[in-house]
Amino acid sequence: MAAFIQKLFKSRKSPETAGKSRKEIAEQPRVPQEDLRADQRESQLQLLKGSPSQEQLGQLAVEGVTADIRLSAAKGLNDPEQLQKVQKQAKGRDKGVYQTVKQALQTHREELERQESIARSIATLISNAREQARSEDTKLFQARLEALTNQWKELESQATAEQIQQFLEAIHRCRERLQDIEAARAEEKRHSEQRRQREETLELLTGTLEDLKAGSSDALPSLSSLDALQRTQENRWLEATRDTEVSRQEQKAYESSMQALKNHLSALRRLTQERDRIQELTGLLDSDQAITTGQQDQAKALIREIDWPADFPKPALLDRLRKLAGKRPEKPVQSEDKGDQKARTEQLKTTLGKLEAALEAKLFKESRQLLKTAQNQFRELDQRHAKPFQARMQLLMGQFRELSDWQGFATEPKQITLCEQMEYLAEQPMEPEAKAERIKELQTEWRKLGGSSDRTLWTRFKSASDRAFEPCKAYFEAKSGLKQANLEKRQAICDELQTFLEQADWDNIDWKGAERIHQTARQEWKAAWPVEFRDNRQVQKRFDELLKRLESPLDEERRKNEGLKQAIVNRAETLIEHEPLQEAMNEAKALQSEWKAIGITRHREDRKLWQAFRKACDQIFARRDAQRNARQEATEAADRKASELLGQLAGVTQESPEETLRDALEKLREVKGNALSSDMRDRIQATRLQLQQALDNSLLQEKVARWQELVRVRGNGGVDPSDLPDHWRTLATEQADLPERELVIRAEILAGTESPAEDQQLRMEIQVQRLAEGMGNTEQSDDRLAELEKLVAQWCLQSSESTAEPALSERLNLALAGITRQ
């Protein structure tokens, strides 16, 4: 190849001439120079048409025979090294080649820069995606992720397989992080909603209990309403505490309120069931019959059976039963002494005065005791004497609640001081007896402050107390009587267990109470420590045997109850596909009530059963949600269809042709309103009314225009009776013949148009006459139109021999025109 290139570009002696003298060479025949250049040009063109290498193109670009060959070769160069070499050699020699390779080098550098920029952008995107996956900033997380994804779409074709894999892995982590963020937000929203539901439940229970406590003793609350309230709020609390944290104080407040409501509801239910029997017994109070001991015993038994809660006002019926139970036999019934009520009223007034003074002086304990006394005295009054004090009692109760809140705020610094003193005492070495006495003093001061609702503060004080007493414990444990006392305590525990097991009626036992006895016995046994090991052997053996005797029936009852709960789970699972759905949901709610009524179970097994039962119930109610969503989708589809129809009818106005208005109304009537939302239904109805009004106006204008034409024909010489509507003769005969002027004035009155000044007096007389006839209040447009039609009919049916005055005809037509503008 090199020899061929040399042959193209250099005049070198051929082998045949080598070694010959100049003279011999001169004597040889010469080849024309033009033929040689032609051969070289032809050889170089053939090389260009083939597939020359970059090196060959570089040599052609510099040493080509013609400018076209050099330029073509330069344009075919793309190797940077050859381009730079040609640029140096062509500089100052061949401007066209120089500019060409210079531009090619510039383009090459720009392409390199573009590739480097793309590479940097890809690396930056991958880095940003990784940073996004690790970022703690969750604001606009999804928007930033979408921006990264959109930017990557533009550069993905330029990335390597490794870079694509790195970016996809980072985006996958980002999406996992986004799912976690969304799940956390959804979980937070659920917890927030559950917290709101719990607050509303507690507020409703508290308000209900306060209303029951402040209620009248004469009117009993509705049993069905209270029962429904108790059940709904119990289910509501169950849902509001599922899979969420509930503070101990909040749970305790709910259990306390719900238990109080259940106690009141149970007592009210028993009172309602025994109402007839109580009324029969208390009827003796209003008769002259003697009350026997048996009747009093019956009354006492009913009072014990009803067991009315002390915190709620006693019903009047129960008070009468108490009077019956307290009367001596053989004595006639007497009504309550009015002076007794007056005395109680005076006592309550005195107590309320003291309570107001105590509240004003911020005496918390005295106020609490006085308020309790006042509430008891208030309940002893009958309705007539108690009513004047109700507002005052409620006001003082509110003031006491404020004082209670302030008491907690005021005592907190003192309690913090006691915590600090107890913590300081825990660090001080002291004689055990003196240290124990000081601990007791601080604990007494804590109790005098009324305790603390702040669980953290109480835990701090309790922890400091325990640490302070720890050195004293060793001292007291060293006392000779401590181990003996604990041993005696354990023996007493065994004796109590023995007595309980011997007297227990396992067929009618309170299983929850028996389980609590089992737990309490174990706890108290552990607490009775230390003991002497040798002395404790027999006692421990006896205790273990007694526990086994107690655990055996408990385990049997637990297994039985677990079987009942398993049966409930099976029934709930059969309801998952049950139809109708409402019946399935009602049955599921009933199963929840049955679940609560079942007694003790093993905790772990109960948890598994509950999860299975909860899952089945969730699936049942998920069907309801699915149906609700289906109805919502149907409503949205109907709304979209109706919205499209309204958009199509947007161009229909009051000026549209009658046929267009009728078609639009027909399309609106085809819309089924029961599938629409209320807003869309209102829009359809409003559009229908608007189009109907436009159609009515169009028909009215058409009718009035026809009347005006007939009036003009009548003014020009008479109307052919065949051109008039058939019923006009009947309309004309329904009223007396009127002069034309009066007829026109009546039309102007109906249309609300003005009459000329010369006819004002006659118009006034006609209006008075219409009022006397009861026609002056004809305000409906249909009534006015009917009256006006009668007038037009009488006008047109006038004798053809008499020609109407043109002015009156014009006035009548103006009146007709006025009716269409109303």
Side-chain angles (χ1 to χ4, degrees), residues 1-12 36 39-41 43-44 46-48 51-65 82 85 89:
M1 180 64 68
F4 178 74
I5 294 173
Q6 292 294 331
K7 179 182 177 181
L8 289 176
F9 298 106
K10 292 186 178 180
S11 298
R12 195 172 66 178
L36 183 60
D39 292 339
Q40 289 180 344
R41 182 172 66 252
S43 300
Q44 291 176 355
Q46 290 297 326
L47 181 61
L48 283 175
S51 299
S53 64
Q54 290 293 305
E55 183 180 358
Q56 292 172 344
L57 289 174
Q59 291 182 357
L60 287 173
V62 175
E63 301 178 359
V65 176
Q82 289 295 328
K85 183 177 179 180
Q89 293 178 356

Side-chain angles (χ1 to χ4, degrees), residues 385-402:
H385 290 83
K387 188 174 182 180
F389 295 95
Q390 288 182 352
R392 189 177 179 188
M393 285 290 295
Q394 292 178 357
L395 176 62
L396 293 175
M397 288 171 65
Q399 293 177 356
F400 177 75
R401 284 194 294 268
E402 293 178 358

Side-chain angles (χ1 to χ4, degrees), residues 57 61 69-78 83 86 96-97 100-101 104:
L57 289 174
I69 292 175
R70 293 192 299 274
L71 190 59
S72 297
K75 290 180 179 179
L77 287 171
N78 52 33
L83 286 171
V86 171
V97 172
T100 299
V101 295

Side-chain angles (χ1 to χ4, degrees), residues 56 118 122 253 288 423 536 543 562 567 575 617 657 716-717 782 808:
Q56 292 172 344
I118 291 174
I122 291 174
D288 296 331
E423 290 167 349
N536 184 59
F543 179 74
E562 288 166 5
L575 294 174
C617 290
N716 294 334
D782 292 342
L808 293 178

Side-chain angles (χ1 to χ4, degrees), residues 133-157:
R134 295 191 298 265
S135 175
E136 296 296 329
D137 184 11
T138 59
K139 293 182 179 179
L140 301 176
F141 192 94
Q142 185 173 4
R144 286 182 288 171
L145 180 59
E146 291 176 354
L148 287 173
T149 306
N150 293 334
Q151 293 174 19
W152 178 258
K153 290 179 181 179
E154 300 175 0
L155 301 175
E156 186 176 6
S157 60

Side-chain angles (χ1 to χ4, degrees), residues 37-210:
R37 289 178 58 85
D39 292 339
Q40 289 180 344
R41 182 172 66 252
E42 186 65 22
S43 300
Q44 291 176 355
L45 288 174
Q46 290 297 326
L47 181 61
L48 283 175
K49 290 179 181 180
S51 299
S53 64
Q54 290 293 305
E55 183 180 358
Q56 292 172 344
L57 289 174
Q59 291 182 357
L60 287 173
V62 175
E63 301 178 359
V65 176
T66 65
D68 292 337
I69 292 175
R70 293 192 299 274
L71 190 59
S72 297
K75 290 180 179 179
L77 287 171
N78 52 33
D79 180 57
E81 183 179 354
Q82 289 295 328
L83 286 171
Q84 291 177 356
K85 183 177 179 180
V86 171
Q87 184 184 21
K88 292 179 180 178
Q89 293 178 356
K91 186 176 182 181
R93 294 175 57 189
D94 193 332
K95 185 176 181 181
V97 172
Y98 178 83
Q99 292 295 333
T100 299
V101 295
K102 181 180 180 182
Q103 183 65 34
L105 282 171
Q106 180 65 28
T107 303
H108 179 72
R109 283 193 291 268
E110 290 176 355
E111 180 63 19
L112 286 178
E113 291 176 359
R114 187 181 72 84
Q115 293 294 337
E116 290 175 357
S117 175
I118 291 174
R120 286 194 300 271
S121 299
I122 291 174
T124 302
L125 278 178
I126 295 174
S127 176
N128 290 342
R130 290 172 175 172
E131 289 294 328
Q132 177 78 356
R134 295 191 298 265
S135 175
E136 296 296 329
D137 184 11
T138 59
K139 293 182 179 179
L140 301 176
F141 192 94
Q142 185 173 4
R144 286 182 288 171
L145 180 59
E146 291 176 354
L148 287 173
T149 306
N150 293 334
Q151 293 174 19
W152 178 258
K153 290 179 181 179
E154 300 175 0
L155 301 175
E156 186 176 6
S157 60
Q158 307 294 328
T160 64
E162 182 181 0
Q163 290 173 330
I164 293 174
Q165 181 66 23
Q166 292 174 352
F167 181 83
L168 291 179
E169 289 176 355
I171 289 297
H172 178 69
R173 290 193 295 272
C174 288
R175 290 200 174 101
E176 288 180 342
R177 180 74 187 284
L178 180 61
Q179 291 176 356
D180 294 340
I181 293 172
E182 291 176 348
R185 289 174 180 170
E187 189 71 8
E188 182 180 358
K189 183 178 180 181
R190 182 178 69 83
H191 288 310
S192 177
E193 177 62 20
Q194 287 180 315
R195 184 166 53 254
R196 186 182 66 81
Q197 292 291 339
R198 293 197 301 272
E199 292 173 355
E200 292 180 359
T201 299
L202 290 176
E203 183 178 357
L204 180 58
L205 289 176
T206 303
T208 302
L209 292 174
E210 290 178 356

Side-chain angles (χ1 to χ4, degrees), residues 277-503:
R277 187 178 172 192
I278 294 173
Q279 289 178 346
E280 181 181 352
L281 286 174
T282 55
L284 298 173
L285 295 172
D286 301 325
S287 66
D288 296 331
Q289 297 180 11
I291 300 174
T292 64
T293 304
Q295 292 169 342
Q296 286 185 324
D297 293 339
Q298 292 181 20
K300 292 177 181 178
L302 284 173
I303 291 173
R304 288 193 300 272
E305 181 180 351
I306 293 171
D307 191 20
W308 190 265
D311 295 338
F312 299 90
K314 294 181 177 60
L317 190 61
L318 199 59
D319 286 337
R320 289 175 59 81
L321 188 63
R322 288 182 178 277
K323 294 175 186 178
L324 176 64
K327 282 185 174 293
R328 294 181 179 179
E330 303 300 332
K331 284 189 177 182
V333 178
Q334 297 179 356
S335 60
E336 185 179 70
D337 185 14
K338 296 182 179 179
D340 198 15
Q341 286 289 316
K342 291 183 178 179
R344 292 175 181 173
T345 301
E346 294 300 323
Q347 291 176 357
L348 179 58
K349 287 182 179 179
T350 303
T351 304
L352 291 179
K354 294 179 179 179
L355 176 57
E356 288 176 345
L359 289 172
E360 185 175 357
K362 308 296 183 183
L363 302 177
F364 177 76
K365 291 186 178 179
E366 290 80 356
S367 299
R368 181 172 57 187
Q369 186 61 37
L370 288 170
L371 179 61
K372 186 175 181 181
T373 303
Q375 288 175 336
N376 293 333
Q377 293 174 349
F378 180 79
R379 295 191 189 102
E380 292 175 357
L381 297 176
D382 56 27
Q383 184 179 8
R384 184 171 64 86
H385 290 83
K387 188 174 182 180
F389 295 95
Q390 288 182 352
R392 189 177 179 188
M393 285 290 295
Q394 292 178 357
L395 176 62
L396 293 175
M397 288 171 65
Q399 293 177 356
F400 177 75
R401 284 194 294 268
E402 293 178 358
L403 178 60
S404 178
D405 296 339
W406 173 252
Q407 177 72 11
F409 177 78
T411 57
E412 184 176 356
K414 299 178 182 179
Q415 291 170 342
I416 293 175
T417 302
L418 289 177
C419 290
E420 294 172 350
Q421 292 178 2
M422 187 66 78
E423 290 167 349
Y424 176 79
L425 182 63
E427 304 296 330
Q428 299 303 310
M430 292 177 63
E431 195 274 329
E433 293 283 355
K435 195 170 190 178
E437 187 64 25
R438 180 55 181 163
I439 292 172
K440 187 181 295 184
E441 291 175 358
L442 293 176
Q443 292 174 340
T444 302
E445 292 180 18
W446 180 276
R447 286 192 293 270
K448 286 182 179 179
L449 293 176
S452 174
S453 60
D454 188 346
R455 190 68 183 175
T456 304
L457 199 59
W458 161 244
T459 303
R460 178 185 175 187
F461 183 77
K462 180 68 168 57
S463 177
S465 300
D466 294 341
R467 285 189 287 108
F469 189 75
E470 192 66 30
C472 303
K473 188 184 297 184
Y475 170 79
F476 290 114
E477 286 175 354
K479 288 188 175 180
S480 59
L482 179 60
K483 293 184 179 181
Q484 183 62 32
N486 286 334
L487 184 63
E488 292 173 357
K489 187 182 294 185
R490 289 190 170 190
Q491 290 173 344
I493 293 172
C494 292
D495 293 338
E496 291 175 359
L497 279 176
Q498 180 75 34
T499 303
F500 172 77
L501 290 171
E502 291 174 353
Q503 298 179 355

